């Protein structure tokens, strides 16, 4: 399965897609990037006159690249209509991410068993500084039952 095929299966619309490019994916993890363009709607109110990317958006970006893209890859041979949904996370936020910044997310599979995927994830800025890191878990869900 190619990175382009994985991106085509992501269940997000353009306004909530936080993956520009999937650089690498295999049985053990995924790596991709995203640029937080200055015109994204959440910057208007977070924070007035000094916009910063909300932590929930940073977490979502790590989940989309590090958990969902990896999950799609791991499920490539499953003959069911299922996807991965985030169930828990524990993230440490170390540096702010500002409008216009490009980040790279790297995940490492901790385990995938009993329909649960757990990954160690980190996000780095273009200078290679870790801006946030932690663990994210997700469960297989049937797309029919949402």
């Amino acid at each position: 399965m190619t990175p382009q095929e994985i991106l085509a299966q992501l269940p997000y619309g353009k306004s909530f897609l936080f993956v520009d490019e999937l650089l690498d994916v295999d049985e053990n993890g995924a790596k991709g990037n995203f640029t937080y363009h200055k015109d994204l709607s959440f910057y208007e109110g977070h924070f007035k006159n000094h916009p910063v990317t909300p932590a929930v958006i940073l977490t979502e970006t790590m989940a989309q690249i590090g958990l969902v893209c990896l999950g799609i890859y791991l499920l490539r041979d499953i003959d069911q209509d299922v996807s991965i949904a985030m169930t828990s996370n524990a993230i440490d936020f170390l540096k702010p991410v500002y409008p216009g910044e490009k980040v790279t997310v790297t995940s490492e599979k901790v385990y995938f068993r009993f329909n649960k995927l757990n990954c160690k994830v980190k996000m780095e800025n273009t200078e290679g500084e870790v801006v946030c890191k932690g663990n994210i878990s997700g469960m297989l869900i049937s797309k029919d039952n949402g």
Side-chain angles (χ1 to χ4, degrees), residues 24-31 65-67 69-71 73-74 76 106-112 117-121:
D24 188 39
V25 64
D26 63 25
E27 296 288 328
N28 299 308
K31 183 175 186 176
I65 294 171
L67 185 78
C69 286
L70 177 58
Y73 178 81
L74 294 173
R76 67 193 179 279
T106 305
S107 74
E108 178 184 323
K109 179 179 72 177
V110 176
Y111 63 83
F112 182 42
L117 176 60
N118 179 276
C119 297
K120 181 175 151 183
V121 293

Side-chain angles (χ1 to χ4, degrees), residues 35-131:
T35 300
Y36 294 100
H37 297 283
K38 294 177 181 184
D39 61 350
L40 290 168
S41 63
F42 51 78
Y43 286 129
E44 187 178 315
H46 192 267
F47 295 100
K48 292 190 291 184
N49 303 319
H50 301 286
V52 176
T53 308
V56 67
I57 298 296
L58 299 176
T59 302
E60 180 65 26
T61 304
M62 290 192 295
Q64 287 186 17
I65 294 171
L67 185 78
V68 180
C69 286
L70 177 58
I72 290 169
Y73 178 81
L74 294 173
L75 296 171
R76 67 193 179 279
D77 296 326
I78 300 291
D79 205 22
Q80 299 175 30
D81 199 14
V82 295
S83 65
I84 297 281
M86 184 171 61
T87 57
S88 65
N89 67 75
I91 306 296
D92 292 322
F93 300 94
L94 308 170
K95 292 184 153 301
V97 176
Y98 298 105
E101 281 196 67
K102 180 179 182 177
V103 296
T104 300
V105 172
T106 305
S107 74
E108 178 184 323
K109 179 179 72 177
V110 176
Y111 63 83
F112 182 42
R113 62 179 177 264
F114 305 115
N115 292 332
K116 186 169 185 175
L117 176 60
N118 179 276
C119 297
K120 181 175 151 183
V121 293
K122 71 176 177 178
M123 178 184 286
E124 297 174 295
N125 60 23
T126 55
E127 288 78 39
E129 300 168 314
V130 177
V131 297

